[in-house]
Amino acid sequence: MLVSLTLVLVGTSLFVGLLPTITGNYSDQRFLVCAISWALLCLALGKLVIRPQQSPRMAHLLWLLPFVLVFLSGELYPATFRVEPLMFAFFFSGAFLYGSQLSGLKNFAVVVRQALTLIALLALIYGLIAVLNYGLALRDGNREVDTTVTWGFPNIRYWSHLATWLIPLFAIAQQSGSLSKLPLVRALLFLSGAIWWWMIFTTSARGSAVGLIVGSAVVIALFRRSSLGWLRVMGKQLLGGGFLWLVLTVLVPWLVFGSADLRELRVHSSGRLPLWQEAWEMSLVNFPFGLGPQSWLTHETITDAYRLSNPFAHPHNMYLLWAAEYGWVSLAALLIAVFGVCRSLVDVSARLNCSDSSDKVIVGLTASVVAAFTHAGVSAVFMAPASMLVGLLVLTLFSAHLSMTSEFSKGGEIFKLSTQRLRLSAGLLLVVCCLIGGFWMSEVWHYYEGNMLDRQTYQGQGAIYSPRFWSHGDFPRQ
């Protein structure tokens, strides 16, 4: 099931542009992430009802509970449509609860290595098509290589979210994947990582670069000697990407056109500062509880800087967005969850550093998660549906490995319930989750219909690329 889930989540994120769609690329991805997040939570609760005696200890989930409850409290605010609070709640709780249960599988380590190899091979196919697009662009006399190598996404920024999640996983796949002992497969996995690094260099994806640097620094500080193997493989892939950049992005266009049209590496905020200032002021209006879900779209503008800038559907910072809409209590709850995860990671790193364990998968997964949460500080990593699909898989694998390898995840008196009480509690939650989820999915559909009405009176410039749940921004109708 995990391998099938990997194929669906990663395959849809990367290749939705090549697949037949029902409501459009972006909307199909949004419906899928909503449905799978809800289904994973129901599946995990159902397993607790059917086989409670086989459920592992999940004490670290207690640290996540306040964060989920804050999002659930978003339903207390008045709203025309009730969609985003439950999306966040189902997304995080489904990933961590289902992941914790996966850790109890007997062949879990083998299945994870198969999933990682599949991820890297899917990314390789995407990368090879990017190289093909690059060649076709040169044939057509198009010097803007940066706009042709990333395909299937509304813009480069949305593709960069996936790069942040996936690149740390390529190194694990090459190092510990199910087929990594075969020289040909290992070479293909290396090529996958090199091509994706080439695309980062070519598109100057700053958010991804910063996130990957921070993620690498954290795993080096945490795992020290245990991270060197992963770091060495990732470094080789990075060098391979740099070589491809010199050849494909600099040398070949220079030989063909007489010059290379390189994308500018921007050092400014790209217009984010007015958005951040507006979100900050919003967060102080009803401190510490925020102005309510999606209030960024409907609130009266506070700052002159934002009033004079281009309107966007979110402030390009997930943490300021949550602070503005759900209040600073949401970030306090997030810090509680981060503390619980760090507590488990320190335990894992201590045991890895004191042994010769060959299980280095947790190193790459940690780098991926840290990089994504860092990138979320400057972009909508937990809002764009393609990013959420891949993030749902990565967080599930991360939670599973954390539950399997950390002693702290196995303790916790609060989860040591009798079999009967555990089955009863899980059954009640399952019924509530099914009822609320069914209503929620109908709300998602009604909200989608409202979005289609908005498109008829769109007054912005350029194509509508749905920068939030659906299309929001330059519309006369709130």
Side-chain angles (χ1 to χ4, degrees):
M1 180 177 175
L2 181 60
V3 175
S4 300
L5 186 66
T6 300
L7 181 63
V8 171
L9 294 178
V10 179
T12 304
S13 300
L14 292 176
F15 304 113
V16 69
L18 302 178
L19 302 174
T21 61
I22 300 174
T23 59
N25 296 356
Y26 188 98
S27 299
D28 279 2
Q29 289 178 334
R30 178 67 73 200
F31 280 117
L32 185 62
V33 73
C34 290
I36 292 184
S37 299
W38 175 40
L40 286 183
L41 182 58
C42 291
L43 182 63
L45 292 173
K47 186 176 179 181
L48 288 176
V49 174
I50 297 173
R51 298 175 179 176
Q53 69 278 3
Q54 295 183 10
S55 299
R57 300 300 182 186
M58 300 170 288
H60 75 279
L61 294 178
L62 178 64
W63 300 99
L64 182 68
L65 186 60
F67 191 50
V68 174
L69 290 178
V70 168
F71 287 126
L72 291 177
S73 69
E75 296 296 344
L76 301 177
Y77 292 84
T80 305
F81 296 100
R82 301 184 177 277
V83 287
E84 281 190 2
L86 281 174
M87 179 185 72
F88 290 130
F90 284 144
F91 176 80
F92 288 106
S93 59
F96 276 84
L97 183 58
Y98 181 67
S100 297
Q101 294 185 347
L102 282 180
S103 63
L105 296 177
K106 292 182 180 179
N107 60 340
F108 171 72
V110 175
V111 175
V112 168
R113 284 171 168 77
Q114 293 174 347
L116 292 172
T117 301
L118 178 59
I119 290 172
L121 292 178
L122 289 172
L124 174 62
I125 297 173
Y126 180 95
L128 292 176
I129 297 176
V131 175
L132 174 63
N133 289 340
Y134 158 85
L136 294 174
L138 293 183
R139 184 201 63 180
D140 295 339
N142 185 1
R143 301 188 183 191
E144 297 180 354
V145 177
D146 58 301
T147 62
T148 61
V149 296
T150 56
W151 57 276
F153 294 88
N155 54 39
I156 292 172
R157 184 175 293 118
Y158 279 34
W159 168 84
S160 71
H161 297 166
L162 267 65
T164 304
W165 285 111
L166 294 179
I167 283 181
L169 306 185
F170 300 156
I172 315 177
Q174 183 181 339
Q175 184 185 27
S176 307
S178 58
L179 301 174
S180 60
K181 293 183 179 180
L182 300 176
L184 177 60
V185 174
R186 194 160 59 246
L188 291 175
L189 298 180
F190 167 80
L191 181 61
S192 180
I195 291 178
W196 277 67
W197 273 113
W198 164 63
M199 289 190 284
I200 281 188
F201 295 145
T202 301
T203 59
S204 299
R206 297 174 299 167
S208 294
V210 172
L212 292 170
I213 291 172
V214 173
S216 301
V218 169
V219 297
I220 291 173
L222 265 178
F223 299 102
R224 299 190 295 278
R225 184 183 59 183
S226 300
S227 68
L228 294 181
W230 171 85
L231 189 65
R232 182 167 53 253
V233 174
M234 186 170 174
K236 291 179 180 178
Q237 294 179 357
L238 185 150
L239 291 176
F243 174 77
L244 290 177
W245 178 81
L246 286 174
V247 173
L248 300 180
T249 308
V250 178
L251 181 60
V252 173
W254 181 76
L255 293 175
V256 174
F257 303 116
S259 64
D261 190 5
L262 302 180
R263 184 179 178 87
E264 178 187 357
L265 180 60
R266 301 172 183 174
V267 294
H268 52 77
S269 67
S270 299
R272 288 180 174 87
L273 288 180
L275 311 182
W276 295 349
Q277 183 181 353
E278 179 74 11
W280 174 268
E281 294 296 334
M282 282 180 63
S283 70
L284 301 179
V285 172
N286 190 30
F287 182 86
F289 301 109
L291 296 180
Q294 295 187 301
S295 57
W296 175 269
L297 303 171
T298 58
H299 79 286
E300 293 293 333
T301 303
I302 299 175
T303 63
D304 293 335
Y306 182 62
R307 186 178 292 109
L308 298 175
S309 66
N310 293 326
F312 289 95
H314 54 79
H316 288 74
N317 184 315
M318 291 304 305
Y319 307 114
L320 284 176
L321 173 67
W322 287 335
E325 296 189 344
Y326 297 89
W328 286 99
V329 291
S330 65
L331 297 189
L334 177 60
L335 288 177
I336 293 174
V338 170
F339 176 80
V341 170
C342 289
R343 188 167 175 251
S344 296
L345 282 175
V346 169
D347 172 57
V348 173
S349 65
R351 291 189 294 108
L352 277 179
N353 292 328
C354 294
S355 66
D356 295 326
S357 175
S358 59
D359 183 14
K360 303 298 192 301
V361 175
I362 188 63
V363 176
L365 289 172
T366 302
S368 175
V369 171
V370 173
F373 273 86
T374 301
H375 194 171
V378 293
S379 193
V381 171
F382 295 103
M383 185 70 71
S387 174
M388 293 186 72
L389 285 170
V390 173
L392 184 64
L393 176 64
V394 176
L395 289 176
T396 299
L397 295 176
F398 178 71
S399 174
H401 254 277
L402 210 58
S403 299
M404 182 179 66
T405 55
S406 173
E407 292 297 325
F408 288 118
S409 299
K410 301 174 184 178
E413 294 295 330
I414 192 170
F415 285 105
K416 292 182 179 179
L417 303 176
S418 65
T419 300
Q420 184 177 359
R421 289 183 178 180
L422 180 60
R423 175 175 288 165
L424 178 61
S425 301
L428 291 175
L429 286 175
L430 178 60
V431 171
V432 172
C433 184
C434 289
L435 293 176
I436 293 178
F439 167 77
W440 175 61
M441 289 300 296
S442 67
E443 276 288 279
V444 171
W445 175 254
H446 292 319
Y447 196 28
Y448 169 75
E449 293 178 328
N451 140 75
M452 297 307 292
L453 289 176
D454 282 341
R455 286 172 179 255
Q456 299 175 12
T457 53
Y458 179 68
Q459 293 182 340
Q461 298 179 357
I464 302 174
Y465 59 89
S466 301
R468 189 146 176 174
F469 199 96
W470 303 122
S471 297
H472 299 295
D474 300 315
F475 299 98
R477 185 173 76 90
Q478 292 288 350

PDB file of all heavy atoms in Angstrom, residues 354-378:
ATOM      1  N   CYS A 354      26.312   6.359  18.499  1.00  0.00           N
ATOM      2  CA  CYS A 354      27.020   5.446  19.402  1.00  0.00           C
ATOM      3  C   CYS A 354      27.044   4.011  18.877  1.00  0.00           C
ATOM      4  O   CYS A 354      27.455   3.100  19.585  1.00  0.00           O
ATOM      5  CB  CYS A 354      26.364   5.463  20.787  1.00  0.00           C
ATOM      6  SG  CYS A 354      26.515   7.051  21.639  1.00  0.00           S
ATOM      7  N   SER A 355      26.570   3.828  17.648  1.00  0.00           N
ATOM      8  CA  SER A 355      26.536   2.483  17.082  1.00  0.00           C
ATOM      9  C   SER A 355      26.975   2.543  15.624  1.00  0.00           C
ATOM     10  O   SER A 355      27.211   3.603  15.072  1.00  0.00           O
ATOM     11  CB  SER A 355      25.121   1.892  17.188  1.00  0.00           C
ATOM     12  OG  SER A 355      24.228   2.621  16.360  1.00  0.00           O
ATOM     13  N   ASP A 356      27.066   1.395  15.030  1.00  0.00           N
ATOM     14  CA  ASP A 356      27.414   1.285  13.614  1.00  0.00           C
ATOM     15  C   ASP A 356      26.177   0.954  12.784  1.00  0.00           C
ATOM     16  O   ASP A 356      26.250   0.265  11.764  1.00  0.00           O
ATOM     17  CB  ASP A 356      28.485   0.207  13.405  1.00  0.00           C
ATOM     18  CG  ASP A 356      29.797   0.583  14.071  1.00  0.00           C
ATOM     19  OD1 ASP A 356      30.096   1.787  14.100  1.00  0.00           O
ATOM     20  OD2 ASP A 356      30.490  -0.327  14.556  1.00  0.00           O
ATOM     21  N   SER A 357      25.024   1.439  13.239  1.00  0.00           N
ATOM     22  CA  SER A 357      23.780   1.138  12.547  1.00  0.00           C
ATOM     23  C   SER A 357      23.836   1.615  11.105  1.00  0.00           C
ATOM     24  O   SER A 357      24.340   2.696  10.802  1.00  0.00           O
ATOM     25  CB  SER A 357      22.595   1.800  13.263  1.00  0.00           C
ATOM     26  OG  SER A 357      21.403   1.618  12.538  1.00  0.00           O
ATOM     27  N   SER A 358      23.290   0.803  10.212  1.00  0.00           N
ATOM     28  CA  SER A 358      23.298   1.149   8.791  1.00  0.00           C
ATOM     29  C   SER A 358      22.026   1.881   8.362  1.00  0.00           C
ATOM     30  O   SER A 358      21.869   2.199   7.185  1.00  0.00           O
ATOM     31  CB  SER A 358      23.446  -0.129   7.946  1.00  0.00           C
ATOM     32  OG  SER A 358      22.367  -1.018   8.213  1.00  0.00           O
ATOM     33  N   ASP A 359      21.107   2.098   9.301  1.00  0.00           N
ATOM     34  CA  ASP A 359      19.849   2.764   8.980  1.00  0.00           C
ATOM     35  C   ASP A 359      20.069   4.268   8.935  1.00  0.00           C
ATOM     36  O   ASP A 359      20.036   4.948   9.957  1.00  0.00           O
ATOM     37  CB  ASP A 359      18.784   2.401  10.014  1.00  0.00           C
ATOM     38  CG  ASP A 359      17.434   3.023   9.672  1.00  0.00           C
ATOM     39  OD1 ASP A 359      17.283   3.494   8.524  1.00  0.00           O
ATOM     40  OD2 ASP A 359      16.543   3.044  10.535  1.00  0.00           O
ATOM     41  N   LYS A 360      20.289   4.792   7.747  1.00  0.00           N
ATOM     42  CA  LYS A 360      20.526   6.231   7.584  1.00  0.00           C
ATOM     43  C   LYS A 360      19.340   6.921   6.923  1.00  0.00           C
ATOM     44  O   LYS A 360      19.439   8.090   6.553  1.00  0.00           O
ATOM     45  CB  LYS A 360      21.784   6.455   6.737  1.00  0.00           C
ATOM     46  CG  LYS A 360      23.036   5.804   7.311  1.00  0.00           C
ATOM     47  CD  LYS A 360      23.383   6.371   8.674  1.00  0.00           C
ATOM     48  CE  LYS A 360      24.777   5.954   9.125  1.00  0.00           C
ATOM     49  NZ  LYS A 360      24.959   4.499   9.220  1.00  0.00           N
ATOM     50  N   VAL A 361      18.224   6.208   6.762  1.00  0.00           N
ATOM     51  CA  VAL A 361      17.065   6.790   6.094  1.00  0.00           C
ATOM     52  C   VAL A 361      16.544   7.986   6.873  1.00  0.00           C
ATOM     53  O   VAL A 361      16.123   8.990   6.298  1.00  0.00           O
ATOM     54  CB  VAL A 361      15.960   5.727   5.910  1.00  0.00           C
ATOM     55  CG1 VAL A 361      14.700   6.350   5.313  1.00  0.00           C
ATOM     56  CG2 VAL A 361      16.462   4.604   5.010  1.00  0.00           C
ATOM     57  N   ILE A 362      16.580   7.902   8.192  1.00  0.00           N
ATOM     58  CA  ILE A 362      16.071   8.990   9.021  1.00  0.00           C
ATOM     59  C   ILE A 362      16.852  10.276   8.780  1.00  0.00           C
ATOM     60  O   ILE A 362      16.315  11.386   8.934  1.00  0.00           O
ATOM     61  CB  ILE A 362      16.119   8.589  10.524  1.00  0.00           C
ATOM     62  CG1 ILE A 362      15.410   9.626  11.388  1.00  0.00           C
ATOM     63  CG2 ILE A 362      17.548   8.385  10.981  1.00  0.00           C
ATOM     64  CD1 ILE A 362      13.942   9.768  11.112  1.00  0.00           C
ATOM     65  N   VAL A 363      18.120  10.177   8.379  1.00  0.00           N
ATOM     66  CA  VAL A 363      18.934  11.371   8.120  1.00  0.00           C
ATOM     67  C   VAL A 363      18.351  12.162   6.956  1.00  0.00           C
ATOM     68  O   VAL A 363      18.116  13.373   7.053  1.00  0.00           O
ATOM     69  CB  VAL A 363      20.397  10.981   7.836  1.00  0.00           C
ATOM     70  CG1 VAL A 363      21.210  12.217   7.475  1.00  0.00           C
ATOM     71  CG2 VAL A 363      21.004  10.269   9.041  1.00  0.00           C
ATOM     72  N   GLY A 364      18.101  11.479   5.833  1.00  0.00           N
ATOM     73  CA  GLY A 364      17.561  12.163   4.669  1.00  0.00           C
ATOM     74  C   GLY A 364      16.149  12.659   4.891  1.00  0.00           C
ATOM     75  O   GLY A 364      15.777  13.751   4.423  1.00  0.00           O
ATOM     76  N   LEU A 365      15.326  11.874   5.592  1.00  0.00           N
ATOM     77  CA  LEU A 365      13.960  12.313   5.873  1.00  0.00           C
ATOM     78  C   LEU A 365      13.954  13.559   6.750  1.00  0.00           C
ATOM     79  O   LEU A 365      13.160  14.482   6.533  1.00  0.00           O
ATOM     80  CB  LEU A 365      13.185  11.186   6.552  1.00  0.00           C
ATOM     81  CG  LEU A 365      12.816   9.990   5.671  1.00  0.00           C
ATOM     82  CD1 LEU A 365      12.222   8.870   6.505  1.00  0.00           C
ATOM     83  CD2 LEU A 365      11.851  10.405   4.564  1.00  0.00           C
ATOM     84  N   THR A 366      14.836  13.601   7.731  1.00  0.00           N
ATOM     85  CA  THR A 366      14.933  14.788   8.586  1.00  0.00           C
ATOM     86  C   THR A 366      15.357  16.003   7.779  1.00  0.00           C
ATOM     87  O   THR A 366      14.794  17.098   7.933  1.00  0.00           O
ATOM     88  CB  THR A 366      15.938  14.541   9.722  1.00  0.00           C
ATOM     89  OG1 THR A 366      15.526  13.408  10.491  1.00  0.00           O
ATOM     90  CG2 THR A 366      16.032  15.753  10.631  1.00  0.00           C
ATOM     91  N   ALA A 367      16.343  15.834   6.900  1.00  0.00           N
ATOM     92  CA  ALA A 367      16.790  16.947   6.060  1.00  0.00           C
ATOM     93  C   ALA A 367      15.654  17.449   5.179  1.00  0.00           C
ATOM     94  O   ALA A 367      15.487  18.659   4.993  1.00  0.00           O
ATOM     95  CB  ALA A 367      17.974  16.510   5.194  1.00  0.00           C
ATOM     96  N   SER A 368      14.854  16.534   4.646  1.00  0.00           N
ATOM     97  CA  SER A 368      13.727  16.916   3.790  1.00  0.00           C
ATOM     98  C   SER A 368      12.692  17.714   4.564  1.00  0.00           C
ATOM     99  O   SER A 368      12.219  18.765   4.100  1.00  0.00           O
ATOM    100  CB  SER A 368      13.091  15.657   3.188  1.00  0.00           C
ATOM    101  OG  SER A 368      11.935  15.980   2.451  1.00  0.00           O
ATOM    102  N   VAL A 369      12.323  17.237   5.742  1.00  0.00           N
ATOM    103  CA  VAL A 369      11.303  17.914   6.546  1.00  0.00           C
ATOM    104  C   VAL A 369      11.786  19.279   7.012  1.00  0.00           C
ATOM    105  O   VAL A 369      11.060  20.281   6.930  1.00  0.00           O
ATOM    106  CB  VAL A 369      10.902  17.028   7.747  1.00  0.00           C
ATOM    107  CG1 VAL A 369      10.009  17.793   8.713  1.00  0.00           C
ATOM    108  CG2 VAL A 369      10.201  15.762   7.262  1.00  0.00           C
ATOM    109  N   VAL A 370      13.020  19.362   7.501  1.00  0.00           N
ATOM    110  CA  VAL A 370      13.567  20.639   7.947  1.00  0.00           C
ATOM    111  C   VAL A 370      13.653  21.624   6.787  1.00  0.00           C
ATOM    112  O   VAL A 370      13.316  22.813   6.928  1.00  0.00           O
ATOM    113  CB  VAL A 370      14.949  20.443   8.601  1.00  0.00           C
ATOM    114  CG1 VAL A 370      15.602  21.791   8.901  1.00  0.00           C
ATOM    115  CG2 VAL A 370      14.828  19.627   9.879  1.00  0.00           C
ATOM    116  N   ALA A 371      14.099  21.152   5.630  1.00  0.00           N
ATOM    117  CA  ALA A 371      14.197  22.026   4.459  1.00  0.00           C
ATOM    118  C   ALA A 371      12.834  22.570   4.059  1.00  0.00           C
ATOM    119  O   ALA A 371      12.686  23.761   3.745  1.00  0.00           O
ATOM    120  CB  ALA A 371      14.812  21.261   3.292  1.00  0.00           C
ATOM    121  N   ALA A 372      11.803  21.714   4.088  1.00  0.00           N
ATOM    122  CA  ALA A 372      10.467  22.154   3.702  1.00  0.00           C
ATOM    123  C   ALA A 372       9.903  23.168   4.692  1.00  0.00           C
ATOM    124  O   ALA A 372       9.305  24.177   4.294  1.00  0.00           O
ATOM    125  CB  ALA A 372       9.536  20.942   3.596  1.00  0.00           C
ATOM    126  N   PHE A 373      10.089  22.927   5.982  1.00  0.00           N
ATOM    127  CA  PHE A 373       9.583  23.876   6.984  1.00  0.00           C
ATOM    128  C   PHE A 373      10.362  25.186   6.927  1.00  0.00           C
ATOM    129  O   PHE A 373       9.822  26.243   7.248  1.00  0.00           O
ATOM    130  CB  PHE A 373       9.650  23.253   8.374  1.00  0.00           C
ATOM    131  CG  PHE A 373       8.434  22.443   8.727  1.00  0.00           C
ATOM    132  CD1 PHE A 373       8.342  21.107   8.358  1.00  0.00           C
ATOM    133  CD2 PHE A 373       7.380  23.008   9.423  1.00  0.00           C
ATOM    134  CE1 PHE A 373       7.222  20.353   8.668  1.00  0.00           C
ATOM    135  CE2 PHE A 373       6.255  22.266   9.743  1.00  0.00           C
ATOM    136  CZ  PHE A 373       6.163  20.929   9.366  1.00  0.00           C
ATOM    137  N   THR A 374      11.628  25.137   6.524  1.00  0.00           N
ATOM    138  CA  THR A 374      12.391  26.371   6.329  1.00  0.00           C
ATOM    139  C   THR A 374      11.882  27.123   5.107  1.00  0.00           C
ATOM    140  O   THR A 374      11.662  28.345   5.160  1.00  0.00           O
ATOM    141  CB  THR A 374      13.881  26.049   6.155  1.00  0.00           C
ATOM    142  OG1 THR A 374      14.355  25.346   7.315  1.00  0.00           O
ATOM    143  CG2 THR A 374      14.690  27.328   5.983  1.00  0.00           C
ATOM    144  N   HIS A 375      11.681  26.415   4.019  1.00  0.00           N
ATOM    145  CA  HIS A 375      11.167  27.017   2.790  1.00  0.00           C
ATOM    146  C   HIS A 375       9.789  27.640   3.023  1.00  0.00           C
ATOM    147  O   HIS A 375       9.432  28.647   2.393  1.00  0.00           O
ATOM    148  CB  HIS A 375      11.097  25.949   1.700  1.00  0.00           C
ATOM    149  CG  HIS A 375      10.908  26.494   0.321  1.00  0.00           C
ATOM    150  ND1 HIS A 375      11.012  25.706  -0.812  1.00  0.00           N
ATOM    151  CD2 HIS A 375      10.605  27.733  -0.127  1.00  0.00           C
ATOM    152  CE1 HIS A 375      10.794  26.442  -1.879  1.00  0.00           C
ATOM    153  NE2 HIS A 375      10.543  27.678  -1.495  1.00  0.00           N
ATOM    154  N   ALA A 376       9.006  27.059   3.930  1.00  0.00           N
ATOM    155  CA  ALA A 376       7.669  27.585   4.220  1.00  0.00           C
ATOM    156  C   ALA A 376       7.720  28.991   4.804  1.00  0.00           C
ATOM    157  O   ALA A 376       6.704  29.692   4.811  1.00  0.00           O
ATOM    158  CB  ALA A 376       6.937  26.652   5.187  1.00  0.00           C
ATOM    159  N   GLY A 377       8.877  29.420   5.274  1.00  0.00           N
ATOM    160  CA  GLY A 377       9.013  30.769   5.802  1.00  0.00           C
ATOM    161  C   GLY A 377       8.996  31.838   4.726  1.00  0.00           C
ATOM    162  O   GLY A 377       8.840  33.031   5.042  1.00  0.00           O
ATOM    163  N   VAL A 378       9.142  31.442   3.458  1.00  0.00           N
ATOM    164  CA  VAL A 378       9.130  32.420   2.367  1.00  0.00           C
ATOM    165  C   VAL A 378       8.182  32.010   1.242  1.00  0.00           C
ATOM    166  O   VAL A 378       8.125  32.675   0.214  1.00  0.00           O
ATOM    167  CB  VAL A 378      10.550  32.617   1.779  1.00  0.00           C
ATOM    168  CG1 VAL A 378      11.458  33.277   2.793  1.00  0.00           C
ATOM    169  CG2 VAL A 378      11.134  31.291   1.311  1.00  0.00           C
TER     170      VAL A 378
END
